[in-house]
């Protein structure tokens, strides 16, 4: 027998740092990167767009320089980026980062992207900006409940599981019907989750007191509106002045996204993952706690 040990068959570990807006995900990731050679893959549907920095709470230049970042500023606002595209990119990037001998940190709050990575997604047609603009105009005429009633006639199964005021999902279901000629309910299938080439350690930064997180979000939004520092309003004015953007584009739905009360939906997604490690994002030394958790997990492998 050879005296050399057999190569390890253990999968590499990917650290997923998840949480709502203003929970400290970036600070935690950078603290890990200070101690462990790491690269960060952004899991954020808004940060992919160039020229949209303030309204998306994009990491600062100094933060971006502190560790290699991926999937930030990769698309023009006129383009769309899907969860399946993210999955393909994240798998490719993770393999490259692991080959460089570094730790992969997936950091962000777009839970659909995490779900797409972990569970895969059904092959639904990609968004069509022109069709979305037309559906927006129709919704302006008949209202979101009217669009829900229209969906109930075309795809009663999907309509039954959506709230009558869930404009984004109603529009997506109608869009799928027009693009594919099939209903969303007929396209969605039950199938086993695909096997990943790595293990995921899910770390969720969740608030023990939501009111404190609300205050953080409000303060962040006030800073973004501060005209002395450039301001969100000025950024949106510059985007409008381009002349090639409109509200039907996915990118335009992202402006201010990180400053809304989307944390409710983010927390619902997180709590559907019983295997996650929960860290109180309003506690003391959050970044240090995350680093210690990751260090322990790596030592145990």
């Amino acid at each position: 027998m050879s005296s050399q040990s057999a190569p390890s068959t253990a999968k590499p570990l990917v650290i997923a740092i998840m949480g709502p807006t203003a929970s400290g995900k970036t600070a935690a990731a950078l603290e890990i990167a200070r101690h462990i050679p790491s690269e960060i893959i952004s899991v954020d549907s808004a940060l992919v767009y160039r020229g949209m920095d303030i309204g998306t709470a994009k990491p600062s230049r100094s933060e971006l320089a502190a560790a290699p970042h991926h999937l930030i500023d990769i698309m023009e606002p006129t383009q769309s980026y899907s969860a399946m595209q993210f999955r393909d990119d994240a798998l490719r990037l993770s393999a490259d980062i692991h080959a460089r001998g570094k730790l992969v940190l997936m950091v962000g709050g777009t839970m659909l992207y995490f779900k797409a990575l972990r569970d895969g997604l059904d092959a639904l047609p990609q968004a069509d900006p022109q069709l979305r603009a037309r559906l927006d105009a129709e919704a302006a005429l008949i209202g979101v409940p009217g669009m829900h009633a229209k969906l109930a006639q075309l795809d009663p199964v999907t309509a039954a599981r959506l709230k009558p005021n869930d404009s984004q999902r109603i529009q997506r279901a109608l869009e799928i019907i027009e693009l594919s000629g099939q209903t969303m309910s007929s396209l969605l299938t039950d199938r086993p989750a695909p096997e990943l080439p790595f293990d995921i350690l899910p770390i969720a930064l969740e608030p023990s007191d939501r009111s404190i997180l609300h205050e953080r979000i409000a303060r962040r939004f006030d800073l973004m509106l501060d005209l002395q520092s450039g301001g969100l309003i000025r950024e949106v004015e510059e985007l409008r002045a381009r002349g090639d953007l409109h509200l039907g584009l996915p990118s335009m739905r992202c402006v201010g996204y990180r400053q809304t009360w989307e944390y409710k939906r983010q927390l619902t997604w997180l709590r559907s993952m019983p295997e996650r490690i929960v860290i109180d994002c309003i506690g003391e030394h959050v970044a240090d706690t995350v680093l210690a958790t990751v260090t322990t997990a790596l030592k145990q492998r």
Side-chain angles (χ1 to χ4, degrees), residues 146-162:
M147 299 294 279
H148 184 264
K150 177 180 177 180
L151 179 62
Q153 292 181 334
L154 299 172
D155 184 0
V157 174
T158 299
R161 67 177 179 81
L162 298 181

Side-chain angles (χ1 to χ4, degrees), residues 71-189:
L71 302 187
I72 294 178
D73 290 339
I74 62 170
M75 309 289 288
E76 286 297 319
T78 52
Q79 300 173 299
S80 61
Y81 187 72
S82 69
M84 190 53 72
Q85 285 175 285
F86 166 80
R87 189 178 195 277
D88 292 342
D89 287 342
L91 289 173
R92 171 180 51 80
L93 288 166
S94 295
D96 292 345
I97 295 168
H98 285 139
R100 290 192 284 271
K102 294 185 178 181
L103 180 65
V104 176
L105 306 177
M106 293 193 183
V107 184
T110 300
M111 301 311 299
L112 178 60
Y113 284 8
F114 280 118
K115 178 176 172 57
L117 180 67
R118 187 184 65 175
D119 301 335
L121 286 175
D122 294 274
L124 300 176
Q126 290 194 10
D128 183 299
Q130 292 184 337
L131 175 55
R132 287 199 166 181
R134 179 162 60 78
L135 290 172
D136 279 339
E138 185 178 355
L141 288 174
I142 68 174
V144 177
M147 299 294 279
H148 184 264
K150 177 180 177 180
L151 179 62
Q153 292 181 334
L154 299 172
D155 184 0
V157 174
T158 299
R161 67 177 179 81
L162 298 181
K163 294 181 180 179
N165 62 349
D166 193 342
S167 59
Q168 192 167 357
R169 288 181 173 83
I170 292 169
Q171 182 197 63
R172 177 59 176 153
L174 290 170
E175 179 184 59
I176 286 171
I177 292 171
E178 292 211 28
L179 290 174
S180 69
Q182 301 179 68
T183 63
M184 176 182 282
S185 56
S186 67
L187 291 172
L188 295 177
T189 58

